[in-house]
Amino acid sequence: MPTTTVAATHDLLRGIARDHDTDALVLTALPDIRWACSFTGSNGLLIARPDRLIFLSDGRYTEQAGREVQNAEVHTPGYNLWEYVEEEGLLDDVDSVLVQADKVTVKTLHGWRERFPEITWEEGSGLLTEHRGSKSEAEVERLRAAQEITDTVFAELCDWIEPGMTEREVGAEIVYRHLRHGADTMSFDPIVASGPNGALPHARPSDCVLREGELVVIDMGCFLNGYASDMTRTIALGEPSEEARRVYNIVLEAQESALQSARSGITGTDIDDVARNIIKEAGYDEYFGHGLGHGVGLEIHEWPRLSYHVTHDLPDGAAVTVEPGIYLPEKFGVRIEDIIILHPDGHENLTQSPKTLQVIT
């Protein structure tokens, strides 16, 4: 949702095409199409010609596209979209087209070249990455609303979770409560990882029974109006061990220090280094094996990233997670994650759930 007028959206997409020395741009990635024209369905194309901005979907979406699509003329033929493009001459007088090569298969691109042999098909990647990376105020509000649901679910979880439940039961309850509170769907399958399973950063809920004295890593999020929430908290079921408390406090210090340093205009490596150095100085660097965070928006993982591999500057308005962790094999894991919005002088934290270790008794 970058703009509110046909002209502004058209100018943006035409500008991308011109930057690649092409006449037109075709968007096929649904998150990018939704960002540009608000369509939420499962099938669509957006064609930015020099003179027109054209949205296409199939007949199932005639009414929906008419209600949702902004900034483009709408076509909903009842058959193959590219056949319609050819028959209606929607690419007539276009010599070159820029396509999202990182979003289509080789077979699909080959089919376009066969159907339109007179057109030069140029391949580009990450065409809207930086535009989508800097969130508008409207996008931030949608992220905030999604995160409010997840915060509410976590507060409720602390009241009902108990030893004897299985990870799978907790995961199912998390999904139910998100939907009950208005979420459209989950942004990913919840992670509920108790005891030794917490040492697996992407553990799936199992039939493992939660036990007294264990740490439980809970990572969850939802989609609301297209935008995602994402939050991790680690709780204790009863009094944790001294080692568990020590590791938790190291992760908490790493996260809070990284948050203090977080702002736009620096690199993802800069922020990652702050958290990673604290964990390294505590002697646990080999147990923090993933990047510090990732972008969040219309997709649960998107640009930009906070990582020791990243050197690009972080844009104003970027929505990113900050989620350091320590994972001790056959013992337990700890991860703490918030979503923040970066600004030149700091950040706004969208996550309101407490980060002091919650001991459930």
Side-chain angles (χ1 to χ4, degrees):
M1 117 188 19
T3 55
T4 57
T5 68
V6 174
T9 302
H10 194 194
D11 286 348
L12 171 67
L13 299 181
R14 283 192 309 172
I16 293 171
R18 286 195 301 269
D19 289 344
H20 289 76
D21 296 321
T22 55
D23 301 323
L25 167 65
V26 172
L27 296 182
T28 52
L30 290 172
D32 290 338
I33 291 171
R34 179 166 186 165
W35 184 82
C37 73
S38 301
F39 178 68
T40 67
S42 64
N43 185 29
L45 296 173
L46 191 61
I47 301 174
R49 288 175 46 97
D51 55 341
R52 303 159 66 189
L53 187 58
I54 307 166
F55 171 80
L56 299 98
S57 187
D58 63 73
R60 295 173 299 166
Y61 292 111
T62 299
E63 184 175 351
Q64 180 177 332
R67 293 198 312 264
E68 291 182 344
V69 172
Q70 303 174 17
N71 309 329
E73 60 183 79
V74 175
H75 298 251
T76 53
Y79 50 92
N80 183 285
L81 301 186
W82 285 101
E83 183 177 334
Y84 179 83
V85 169
E86 182 179 22
E87 289 180 354
E88 296 298 311
L90 299 184
L91 290 178
D92 284 359
D93 304 320
V94 172
D95 295 325
S96 56
V97 175
L98 177 64
V99 300
Q100 298 179 286
D102 53 340
K103 306 295 185 181
V104 299
T105 66
V106 173
K107 180 179 179 181
T108 297
L109 183 54
H110 180 69
W112 296 343
R113 286 173 169 152
E114 280 194 333
R115 185 181 289 276
F116 302 96
E118 71 283 2
I119 293 176
T120 300
W121 296 84
E122 297 291 346
E123 303 172 26
S125 61
L127 300 179
L128 289 179
T129 294
E130 295 190 20
H131 295 285
R132 283 180 51 193
S134 184
K135 301 298 188 286
S136 68
E137 282 299 321
E139 289 178 294
V140 172
E141 285 304 313
R142 291 191 175 190
L143 288 165
R144 182 179 290 109
Q147 185 57 46
E148 286 175 357
I149 292 176
T150 297
D151 281 323
T152 298
V153 171
F154 179 72
E156 294 177 351
L157 178 148
C158 290
D159 289 334
W160 56 257
I161 193 171
E162 61 184 6
M165 301 181 73
T166 67
E167 294 174 345
R168 198 183 306 276
E169 288 170 342
V170 175
E173 188 71 17
I174 286 171
V175 173
Y176 163 71
R177 287 177 182 260
H178 272 88
L179 297 178
R180 191 184 74 178
H181 286 296
D184 296 326
T185 186
M186 300 302 288
S187 48
F188 56 94
D189 292 336
I191 294 172
V192 181
S194 61
N197 289 343
L200 306 173
H202 279 182
R204 290 181 174 273
S206 70
D207 292 323
C208 181
V209 176
L210 278 58
R211 295 190 291 239
E212 185 84 18
E214 288 185 331
L215 295 184
V216 184
V217 179
I218 298 169
D219 191 347
M220 57 187 178
C222 68
F223 280 114
L224 179 66
N225 293 323
Y227 285 78
S229 64
D230 189 2
M231 182 182 80
T232 306
R233 291 294 185 265
T234 302
I235 64 173
L237 295 180
E239 188 60 32
S241 68
E242 182 179 337
E243 181 184 30
R245 278 195 177 274
R246 181 175 66 252
V247 170
Y248 187 94
N249 288 333
I250 292 166
V251 174
L252 180 58
E253 180 186 359
Q255 206 237 14
E256 290 183 335
S257 297
L259 288 173
Q260 290 172 10
S261 73
R263 60 180 175 83
S264 60
I266 62 176
T267 70
T269 300
D270 292 331
I271 304 176
D272 183 281
D273 282 346
V274 173
R276 197 167 301 277
N277 286 338
I278 289 172
I279 292 173
K280 181 177 181 180
E281 289 170 5
Y284 291 96
D285 54 310
E286 67 178 295
Y287 303 111
F288 178 27
H290 58 73
L292 183 64
H294 57 85
V296 180
L298 286 165
E299 298 174 275
I300 188 59
H301 291 97
E302 57 183 50
W303 188 89
R305 294 170 54 213
L306 309 183
S307 169
Y308 47 91
H309 295 301
V310 172
T311 58
H312 54 253
D313 290 343
L314 299 167
D316 184 27
V320 295
T321 66
V322 178
E323 49 180 305
I326 293 175
Y327 310 93
L328 302 182
E330 301 181 7
K331 289 187 176 181
F332 58 82
V334 175
R335 183 166 67 250
I336 304 170
E337 174 188 22
D338 295 344
I339 292 178
I340 63 174
I341 308 298
L342 298 177
H343 301 298
D345 58 350
H347 69 276
E348 176 190 0
N349 196 327
L350 302 186
T351 310
Q352 300 301 310
S353 294
K355 287 182 282 190
T356 54
L357 180 59
Q358 303 294 296
V359 179
I360 309 300
T361 58

